[in-house]
Amino acid sequence: MSETLANPKTANAAAPKHSRLAWLDALRGFAALCVVFDHGSTLMLEPVRDFLYRWLDLGEYGVFVFFLISGYIIPASLERKGSVRGFWTSRLFRLYPMYAVALALAAVAYHTGYGTIRGAEHQPAQSVLAWLLMLPNLLTGPNVPNVTWTLSYEMVFYLLLVALFSWGVHRRSGWYATTFAVAAVALGGVLPMALLTRWAGHADGGGVALNAVADALILGGIVLAVSSRSVAARVGASVAGLTALVLVMVNQGSPSPWEGSVILALMFTGTLIYRAQQRQPGFSRPMTAAIVVGVLALTTFAGVWHGEQAHLSHQWQIQWATSILLAGATFGLGLAASNRKVPRWCAWLGMISFSVYLLHPLVFDAYRSVPALHRTHTLPVQGLMFAGCVAVIIGLSTVTYYLVERPMQRLGRRLSGRGGGSAGGGSGGGEPAAVAVGSSVEQAGQPADYATGAAAGSGSAVTDAGSGRDTDSDRPGAPTAARSASSSSAVAGGSGASP
């Protein structure tokens, strides 16, 4: 380490060529396109959809890939920062600006007759409280745009991750992945759906009260976690995490009782894979492979078994199994090819994928609102119309990325960098997290967001200068010797999975 700090040329030579994780960007962009096809094919290319969906639900498959990606990269971000305050600051500026833009555009589309806000106009206060923490699918609020149901699970994962980190037990990723996979099998058939929401519906103003209480517990816990130290911070993080866990277990609005546990199992599986790839102590690759196979088997079985008990169609059961297993295989192939060159346009698509994910339902809603577009068309014409919609989606997403996402990401990094310390974080023993902000990679000319080091008490060395970079990292051109095999200068665009 000292040699590379003293000699930038040595640092350049030592930097791994795959440090930019362009393979994750490519996976994220691919997953976003799968979700785009899922929603667009209900309006166009229906014969193609009917054929493909005999075996695979592309939308479900795409979001499962997203959740594996988030599980892989988000914990690395928290542990690298070593600061709960820095983590929440970066998440705030990474997700909320574009989320707010999507909500605003949905409202404009609704008022001009080219979109929907899914009934939120009838209960505005209740809806706003559900949207406040991006938990509409777990509180009494509509998902606007409709894809934001997945952000609810992203937020639950963040809250659980911070709670575990604050107590220094965040490295037991294999246990958590297995626990949630077992819970999906054991409890997936008996867990209630929207239990608290139904209770709130029987009380006058109950929906507003439920959302307000949940928001207060989670926000209060986050504030305590980022503004305090030691026991108070841990208590705050725990309150927020437990509140989120209760919501995801008993108050999902959709799609199925077992899906919340399955999603969390997949996300912690992504984390487990990250730890094994980084060769962190206690994470051997054979054991990791066994756990991953076990989790995929359990989550597949959970959906098929409970789906049969719920009298869901045989086709649905096939789609569930293929979505889970192919998502795991896709992530594995991406990881195996992580040292290979990735086309720049693939990485660039990952850069704008969060905007693509949030905006594409609005474009399809607008298409749906124009009757002249719904005349009977031949399949080639439908293909051209679908391509036109995709071009509009990518164009709008490019604009919002460069005008909204990227500037806000930069601001968030500046503010999170000023936070200092590790308020609310640590190993559970009072020792600060070791964050490799001054690692050889940064000295080589790459920004600190590339660097990863031993997180609180891990004892792991800087083994892969890029694997720990945050999903909101801005990645300008690095020195030639340290450039990615992809030669991509794209910025990871996912919400973490969020897409």
Side-chain angles (χ1 to χ4, degrees):
M1 173 72 76
S2 59
E3 180 184 358
T4 55
L5 290 176
N7 189 343
K9 292 183 179 179
T10 303
N12 285 355
K17 292 184 178 181
H18 57 288
S19 63
R20 297 195 179 203
L21 294 185
W23 67 277
L24 277 180
D25 291 340
L27 278 186
R28 188 180 290 114
F30 169 71
L33 288 182
C34 288
V35 178
V36 169
F37 178 85
D38 178 58
H39 293 132
S41 62
T42 62
L43 302 169
M44 297 159 278
L45 300 177
E46 291 184 63
V48 178
R49 178 187 178 90
D50 292 342
F51 175 78
L52 292 175
Y53 279 63
R54 296 176 187 177
W55 303 283
L56 176 65
D57 184 329
L58 280 173
E60 191 167 57
Y61 160 73
V63 297
F64 286 160
V65 173
F66 275 131
F67 288 131
L68 284 167
I69 293 171
S70 286
Y72 182 90
I73 202 66
I74 294 300
S77 169
L78 172 60
E79 294 164 21
R80 175 180 52 75
K81 292 179 187 298
S83 165
V84 171
R85 183 186 299 118
F87 173 78
W88 280 121
T89 301
S90 69
R91 291 295 92 197
L92 173 68
F93 283 90
R94 175 65 188 90
L95 300 179
Y96 273 89
M98 192 58 219
Y99 180 57
V101 168
L103 287 173
L105 291 175
V108 171
Y110 166 73
H111 284 293
T112 57
Y114 291 96
T116 176
I117 51 176
R118 306 170 68 83
E121 65 273 22
H122 304 304
Q123 298 172 318
Q126 185 172 304
S127 299
V128 169
L129 287 171
W131 297 336
L132 180 63
L133 295 178
M134 296 194 305
L135 294 171
N137 202 55
L138 304 179
L139 294 174
T140 54
N143 294 302
V144 179
N146 64 336
V147 293
T148 55
W149 71 271
T150 62
L151 299 184
S152 297
Y153 299 95
E154 288 277 333
M155 182 58 73
V156 169
F157 182 63
Y158 298 163
L159 291 165
L160 289 177
L161 188 65
V162 169
L164 295 171
F165 178 77
S166 69
W167 287 97
V169 294
H170 53 292
R171 296 190 174 278
R172 301 172 185 176
S173 307
W175 285 104
Y176 303 134
T178 303
T179 297
F180 280 113
V182 170
V185 174
L187 303 176
V190 298
L191 288 173
M193 291 289 287
L195 176 67
L196 301 178
T197 297
R198 291 199 306 271
W199 167 81
H202 296 301
D204 187 25
V208 173
L210 170 62
N211 293 358
V213 169
D215 286 350
L217 288 172
I218 294 174
L219 274 176
I222 292 174
V223 170
L224 194 60
V226 303
S227 61
S228 306
R229 292 183 181 275
S230 190
V231 176
R234 294 172 183 170
V235 169
S238 300
V239 168
L242 287 174
T243 302
L245 184 61
V246 168
L247 290 176
V248 82
M249 296 304 286
V250 304
N251 208 51
Q252 296 179 96
S254 64
S256 59
W258 55 88
E259 193 127 2
S261 295
V262 167
I263 289 170
L264 291 173
L266 291 177
M267 297 181 90
F268 278 109
T269 298
T271 307
L272 175 65
I273 294 171
Y274 165 77
R275 299 197 189 287
Q277 191 201 28
Q278 292 299 295
R279 302 184 184 276
Q280 293 182 4
F283 294 93
S284 69
R285 296 192 176 186
M287 180 176 292
T288 296
I291 295 174
V292 170
V293 170
V295 168
L296 292 177
L298 286 170
T299 51
T300 300
F301 176 72
V304 172
W305 182 38
H306 295 311
E308 183 177 3
Q309 301 303 311
H311 306 293
L312 298 177
S313 69
H314 182 63
Q315 182 181 7
W316 183 93
Q317 296 171 51
I318 292 175
Q319 290 172 344
W320 174 271
T322 54
S323 295
I324 289 276
L325 296 176
L326 285 179
T330 300
F331 190 84
L333 288 173
L335 188 63
S338 59
N339 288 321
R340 295 182 176 274
K341 184 175 181 179
V342 174
R344 295 189 61 163
W345 67 268
C346 291
W348 175 82
L349 186 59
M351 173 182 76
I352 65 169
S353 61
F354 189 43
S355 284
V356 169
Y357 191 75
L358 289 179
L359 296 183
H360 81 268
L362 305 182
V363 173
F364 288 134
D365 282 344
Y367 176 94
R368 189 179 288 109
S369 301
V370 181
L373 297 175
H374 300 288
R375 295 192 300 269
T376 302
H377 298 288
T378 64
L379 190 58
V381 172
Q382 290 183 46
L384 290 174
M385 296 175 72
F386 183 82
C389 287
V390 171
V392 170
I393 291 166
I394 291 177
L396 290 175
S397 300
T398 302
V399 171
T400 54
Y401 173 75
Y402 286 107
L403 294 185
V404 179
E405 288 193 73
R406 192 172 188 178
M408 290 297 100
Q409 289 171 22
R410 288 174 171 170
L411 178 59
R413 281 195 302 278
R414 287 198 296 270
L415 294 177
S416 64
R418 295 173 186 169
S422 56
S427 65
E431 58 193 72
V435 184
V437 173
S439 73
S440 61
V441 180
E442 185 183 16
Q443 297 300 318
Q446 294 191 17
D449 273 345
Y450 285 94
T452 182
S458 72
S460 62
V462 180
T463 56
D464 184 337
S467 296
R469 70 104 173 99
D470 189 4
T471 52
D472 59 6
S473 301
D474 186 22
R475 298 176 295 173
T480 303
R483 287 189 178 179
S484 164
S486 70
S487 299
S488 165
S489 60
V491 179
S495 58
S498 237

